[in-house]
Amino acid sequence: ARTCIALAAAALFSSAAQAAPLTATEMLNQFNMVVTGNVNSTSHVDGRSYVGGNVSGGDYVQHVRDTPASAYAGLTVGGNLSNNVHVNGLGAVVGGNVNGVNVNSGASYVGGSATSSSFNGDAWVNGSAQNVNFNGAGHAASYINTNNNRPLNAPTPVMNGALAASTSTDFSSLMTGLSSQLSSMQATAGTSVAFSNNDSNVLFSGTGVNGVLVFDLTALDSKIFSSRTTDISFNLTNATTVIFNTNDKTLNLSANFNQAQSLGSKLIWNFAGADTSVTVGRTFGGQALVADGTFSNIGGANVEGGVFAKTLNQYG
């Protein structure tokens, strides 16, 4: 994925400052979604996104003012971006082509061509532009039916900064390393997972140590992530960061997270063994880390947190 963007942007790197790679903590803080492969979406992401492969569909950076500062654009895509995509703010960096894309604000760089798209901030299209509106200052190798009247002679410093950031971090290695680090953490003493109502209700309980609480679910993940589970609740005392470690290859969950919104920023679900898939059918609370697999939210299920995965199918 990094190579894809680097090839498209190679001619510009001589003038673009090199950005420092992110740490795992910085990744979790700055991004709402990181996917090293492809994304298929019919829904939205509230904050910043990075995708190493192609993106089809979706609405990105819905809450511009709530998105933390970063050297990265609002949406960074290594491959192609297409299929009625909206980027509401903070601009975009795309290594390949764009088709059917609307960037409402922020500077954008496109390494390939652009068709049937609009850029409401400054934009640089490295290839041709057909049926494209440049509503800020713009550049394209050729213009067909555009309203650009303020051409750019070179990418702006803002574009170059976001472009440099786009190749600065090996997110695949970063997520894999984070997953391994979390898996090595010992379960916090006194944690419990209680089942009731014929195993349909699950209650996670524990007291944080210096704010951290770790659950080892490797012997329980298939029971928790099953069709029988309908409700998940939490009793987390003094915990600001809660880690759940699992190791099953394939997991499916259709349970209600009763405190998804209030706890979403505190929970990290480390699906360390899920090199196949994790699928959720109801609102999910927390950061879903699926470093080597596919995460899918189906049936209109929201994720109150973030997604960090190899592939994403987003239908909620």
Side-chain angles (χ1 to χ4, degrees), residues 5-16 109 111 124 126 154-155 160 163:
I5 299 180
L7 290 175
L12 300 176
F13 272 137
S14 59
S15 60
Y109 171 86
W124 182 277
N126 212 38
N160 280 336
L163 191 59

Side-chain angles (χ1 to χ4, degrees), residues 266-284:
K266 296 182 179 182
L267 312 181
I268 301 177
W269 295 86
N270 179 31
F271 298 107
D275 56 7
T276 303
S277 65
V278 175
T279 302
V280 297
R282 297 283 183 90
T283 295
F284 181 87

Side-chain angles (χ1 to χ4, degrees), residues 207-231:
T207 300
V209 177
N210 297 321
V212 178
L213 186 58
V214 180
F215 287 84
D216 181 358
L217 306 182
T218 55
L220 295 171
D221 46 12
S222 59
K223 184 177 181 180
I224 297 168
F225 285 77
S226 72
S227 58
R228 177 174 290 185
T229 303
T230 61
D231 289 275

